[in-house]
């Protein structure tokens, strides 16, 4: 490799590691221009193309990233016999772009190919950091696709391999912890998720420069965790800290900025509870949601799952404004995008069904609401098991529907199931949360608690066993409040 190109490539990598992605891109483009002067050195040119693609990927410019990685991969594929390692690296980077663009099936195929190549190249596949990286990356795509069991095994093995090969405080160990924590969180295991997120943030704070973009991943994950236990002030503060770094390190139009804007909007909306939002709050929330939607459309087009996230956020805001029919339409549109991109049995589609069912319940559309809730329940049980906190919400709303349509035995059974799930979730929150956070989480569950007690009071004469169940619940909650 030309000394000048080698120097520029090293400089690009150094800047990339510091989170200075625009500067890294400039260095990698200069190296690429030099590499084009030697048409016979295909390997050098392909590596430079890949480096430019990686720089664009770091800046969330996915279209350009894909273009450069595809060019590099095509060159390397022609010389596969002598460039297997470089081909695997380029293919791994292309898979990362496809995943970011929502092309999960293509990303999965590429990551499986990379894992096979790296295992073949490794002296000891059970101890090789490159193999661990591929396992982690494949696990992340499988997580996206809802295959939590396979993803869990890959993430655990990758974390173990990286820890043994690189030490407990290496930045890639933090990435494995982050990936595993996200999976635990989606599976409803908040205590293990919190442990992973906190360890990942500690490593990154110790090993990375201040305000490095990778810190925001840990900040956002911890914010989501605090949001889930209804510590809204802490969640908002973490989201806003992440947003400040993202805007400075990337750009105001980065898809990661859009995600954080949407998360802040959700916090503000949930803080309003079921109450009608005041005009100022509505303007702020809608401005955040619309800005996030605009960025996502510019980055991904109209049919990416990220667009569905924006549609769902706007729909929930419309519910609080009393515009239920338009909210129902947006939930349906979001669901169709997710079903087309992710499949009919994905958790994101279940979230859309849950939102639409809530609207239909408020409009008295009992049959449509029941159909949505049963379908959502089927998806959640198949993907998350029968004790996830999201399932409790679905089952509680089914109980309301059954009670409203005088199907009392079914309503009672659903209330019992919802209470059992909540009891397990309370145990998780009490492990990771402070006294204040525990009290806040119990407040979040109070609507289901109150609905069940009202059901007991109104059915005490006609439904044997409900009074005992109600008394047992009251005593259990008093013991922990």
């Amino acid at each position: 490799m030309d000394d000048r190109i080698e120097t520029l490539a090293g400089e690009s990598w150094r800047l990339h590691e510091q989170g200075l992605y625009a500067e890294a891109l400039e260095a990698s483009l200069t190296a690429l221009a030099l590499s084009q002067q030697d048409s016979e050195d295909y390997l050098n040119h392909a590596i430079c193309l890949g480096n430019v693609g990686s720089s664009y990927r770091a800046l969330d410019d996915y279209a350009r990233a894909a273009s450069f990685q595809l060019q590099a991969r095509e060159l390397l594929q022609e010389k596969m016999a002598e460039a297997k390692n470089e081909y695997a690296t380029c293919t791994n980077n292309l898979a990362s772009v496809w995943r970011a663009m929502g092309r999960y099936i293509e990303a999965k195929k590429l990551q499986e190919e990379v894992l096979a190549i790296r295992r073949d190249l490794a002296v000891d596949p059970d101890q090789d950091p490159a193999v661990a990286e591929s396992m982690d990356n494949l696990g992340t795509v499988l997580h996206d696709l809802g295959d939590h069991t396979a993803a869990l095994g890959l993430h655990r093995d990758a974390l173990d391999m990286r820890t043994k090969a690189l030490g407990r405080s290496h930045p890639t160990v933090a990435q494995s912890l982050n990936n595993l924590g996200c999976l635990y969180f989606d599976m409803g295991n908040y205590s293990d998720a919190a442990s992973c997120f906190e360890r990942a943030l500690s490593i990154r704070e110790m090993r990375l420069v201040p305000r490095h973009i990778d810190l925001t991943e840990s900040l956002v994950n911890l914010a989501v965790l605090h949001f889930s236990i209804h510590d809204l002030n802490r969640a908002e503060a973490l989201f806003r800290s992440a947003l400040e770094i993202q805007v400075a390190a990337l750009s105001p139009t980065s898809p990661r900025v859009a995600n954080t804007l949407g998360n802040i909007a959700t916090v503000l909306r949930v803080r309003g509870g079921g109450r009608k939002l005041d005009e100022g709050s509505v303007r702020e929330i809608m401005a955040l949601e619309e800005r996030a939607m605009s960025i996502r459309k510019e980055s991904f087009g109209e049919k990416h799952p990220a667009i569905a996230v924006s549609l769902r956020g706007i729909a929930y805001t419309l519910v609080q404004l009393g515009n239920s029919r338009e909210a129902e339409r947006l939930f349906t549109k979001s669901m169709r995008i997710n079903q087309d991109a992710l499949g009919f049995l994905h958790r994101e589609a279940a979230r859309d069904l849950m939102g639409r069912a809530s609207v239909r319940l408020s409009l008295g559309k009992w049959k449509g609401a029941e159909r949505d809730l049963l379908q959502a329940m089927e998806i959640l049980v198949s993907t998350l098991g029968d004790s996830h906190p999201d399932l409790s919400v679905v089952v509680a709303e089914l109980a309301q529907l059954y009670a409203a349509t005088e199907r009392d035995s079914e309503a009672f059974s659903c209330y019992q199931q919802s209470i059992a799930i909540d009891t397990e979730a309370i145990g998780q929150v009490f492990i990771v949360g402070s006294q204040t956070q525990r009290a806040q989480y119990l407040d979040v569950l109070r609507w289901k608690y109150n609905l069940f007690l009202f059901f007991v009071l109104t059915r005490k004469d006609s439904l044997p066993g409900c009074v005992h169940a109600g008394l047992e619940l009251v005593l259990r909650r008093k013991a922990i409040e």
Side-chain angles (χ1 to χ4, degrees):
M1 180 182 285
D2 185 304
D3 288 345
R4 293 173 299 168
I5 297 175
E6 188 171 1
T7 299
L8 285 164
E11 177 69 2
S12 175
W13 179 253
R14 184 185 65 78
L15 292 166
H16 186 98
E17 287 292 285
Q18 293 178 11
L20 300 172
Y21 299 131
E23 293 86 345
L25 173 62
E26 184 178 351
S28 62
L29 284 169
T30 304
L32 176 62
L34 289 171
S35 75
Q36 289 170 330
Q37 297 173 11
D38 186 354
S39 58
E40 295 184 3
D41 191 351
Y42 82 92
L43 181 58
N44 185 16
H45 185 53
I47 291 171
C48 288
L49 284 166
N51 289 343
V52 172
S54 295
S55 294
Y56 277 123
R57 168 66 179 88
L59 288 164
D60 292 346
D61 189 339
Y62 302 129
R64 285 193 177 94
S67 174
F68 281 95
Q69 296 294 359
L70 284 166
Q71 291 177 64
R73 186 168 181 261
E74 184 178 351
L75 278 175
L76 293 166
Q77 202 162 25
E78 293 174 3
K79 307 284 187 178
M80 172 74 86
E82 56 194 271
K84 268 191 173 183
N85 186 54
E86 290 80 3
Y87 173 81
T89 298
C90 181
T91 302
N92 173 72
N93 294 338
L94 179 61
S96 171
V97 177
W98 286 160
R99 176 178 175 257
M101 296 177 74
R103 296 167 65 168
Y104 300 118
I105 299 299
E106 292 160 279
K108 175 176 175 285
K109 289 178 181 177
L110 292 182
Q111 291 294 5
E112 288 171 337
E113 181 185 2
V114 175
L115 180 57
I117 292 171
R118 286 178 168 173
R119 279 177 168 157
D120 183 56
L121 291 173
V123 175
D124 182 356
D126 294 330
Q127 300 292 329
D128 190 279
V131 172
E133 179 191 31
S134 290
M135 293 172 68
D136 225 6
N137 291 342
L138 178 58
T140 301
V141 178
L142 291 173
H143 180 184
D144 293 330
L145 291 168
D147 190 348
H148 292 169
T149 301
L152 183 60
L154 286 165
H155 284 322
R156 282 174 169 169
D157 288 346
L159 175 61
D160 184 57
M161 288 171 64
R162 279 175 158 169
T163 302
K164 288 178 179 176
L166 303 169
R168 294 177 56 84
S169 61
H170 194 274
T172 60
V173 171
Q175 187 60 54
S176 286
L177 285 165
N178 171 76
N179 294 338
L180 184 58
C182 287
L183 183 58
Y184 279 139
F185 176 82
D186 277 352
M187 295 173 70
N189 186 345
Y190 295 157
S191 58
D192 284 344
S195 175
C196 287
F197 292 152
E198 287 163 0
R199 284 176 60 196
L201 179 60
S202 176
I203 292 169
R204 284 169 166 166
E205 287 178 333
M206 177 175 59
R207 297 295 298 270
L208 301 177
V209 297
R211 300 176 66 78
H212 191 286
I213 190 63
D214 285 356
L215 289 170
T216 65
E217 186 175 40
S218 292
L219 292 171
V220 166
N221 288 335
L222 283 168
V224 171
L225 181 64
H226 281 280
F227 175 82
S228 296
I229 61 176
H230 216 68
D231 186 355
L232 301 182
N233 291 336
R234 181 62 176 152
E236 183 181 359
L238 287 165
F239 280 134
R240 290 194 184 276
S241 294
L243 180 64
E244 185 180 349
I245 298 172
Q246 287 168 338
V247 170
L250 301 171
S251 82
T253 58
S254 162
R256 275 179 274 188
V257 169
N259 293 341
T260 307
L261 291 170
N263 286 331
I264 293 171
T266 301
V267 172
L268 297 178
R269 185 171 55 248
V270 170
R271 184 176 283 141
R275 302 183 300 276
K276 187 174 181 179
L277 296 167
D278 62 75
E279 188 175 339
S281 296
V282 170
R283 279 200 303 267
E284 183 178 7
I285 292 168
M286 289 303 287
L288 290 166
E289 293 285 12
E290 288 166 1
R291 185 177 161 201
M293 173 75 91
S294 175
I295 294 170
R296 286 164 170 162
K297 282 184 177 179
E298 183 66 25
S299 300
F300 303 121
E302 299 276 353
K303 296 186 177 181
H304 190 278
I307 301 298
V309 173
S310 282
L311 289 170
R312 193 162 58 226
I314 293 169
Y316 275 117
T317 304
L318 291 172
V319 168
Q320 289 187 307
L321 289 171
N323 192 348
S324 296
R325 296 193 183 280
E326 178 62 10
E328 182 182 12
R329 187 187 72 81
L330 292 183
F331 280 127
T332 301
K333 186 176 180 180
S334 174
M335 179 180 68
R336 287 173 180 162
I337 291 172
N338 280 322
Q339 287 174 336
D340 288 343
L342 303 169
F344 283 78
L345 296 178
H346 196 277
R347 183 184 179 187
E348 290 298 309
R351 286 172 168 162
D352 297 318
L353 288 163
M354 291 164 67
R356 190 173 70 175
S358 295
V359 172
R360 288 178 167 178
L361 281 172
S362 70
L363 294 171
K365 296 183 176 181
W366 308 120
K367 288 185 179 179
E370 181 178 6
R371 190 165 53 247
D372 286 348
L373 289 169
L374 288 173
Q375 190 177 345
M377 183 165 69
E378 179 185 358
I379 294 170
L380 292 176
V381 170
S382 67
T383 57
L384 302 175
D386 57 7
S387 60
H388 193 278
D390 283 1
L391 184 63
S392 172
V393 176
V394 174
V395 176
E397 291 196 338
L398 263 177
Q400 289 181 74
L401 186 152
Y402 291 146
T405 53
E406 299 182 352
R407 294 154 69 179
D408 289 351
S409 294
E410 291 167 278
F412 181 54
S413 176
C414 284
Y415 276 127
Q416 289 287 82
Q417 184 181 354
S418 177
I419 290 165
I421 296 170
D422 285 346
T423 299
E424 186 171 334
I426 288 168
Q428 289 276 346
V429 172
F430 273 45
I431 292 172
V432 302
S434 65
Q435 190 65 38
T436 300
Q437 290 167 339
R438 295 170 184 175
Q440 289 169 334
Y441 189 71
L442 291 174
D443 282 341
V444 174
L445 302 179
R446 201 168 300 281
W447 68 274
K448 289 181 274 185
Y449 174 83
N450 290 337
L451 278 173
F452 179 59
L453 293 184
F454 178 78
F455 177 82
V456 168
L457 288 172
T458 55
R459 269 72 169 185
K460 63 181 185 298
D461 296 326
S462 59
L463 198 63
C466 73
V467 174
H468 175 76
L471 180 60
E472 184 179 7
L473 176 62
V474 169
L475 293 174
R476 191 185 305 128
R477 290 291 168 86
K478 282 189 176 297
I480 60 177
E481 287 182 344

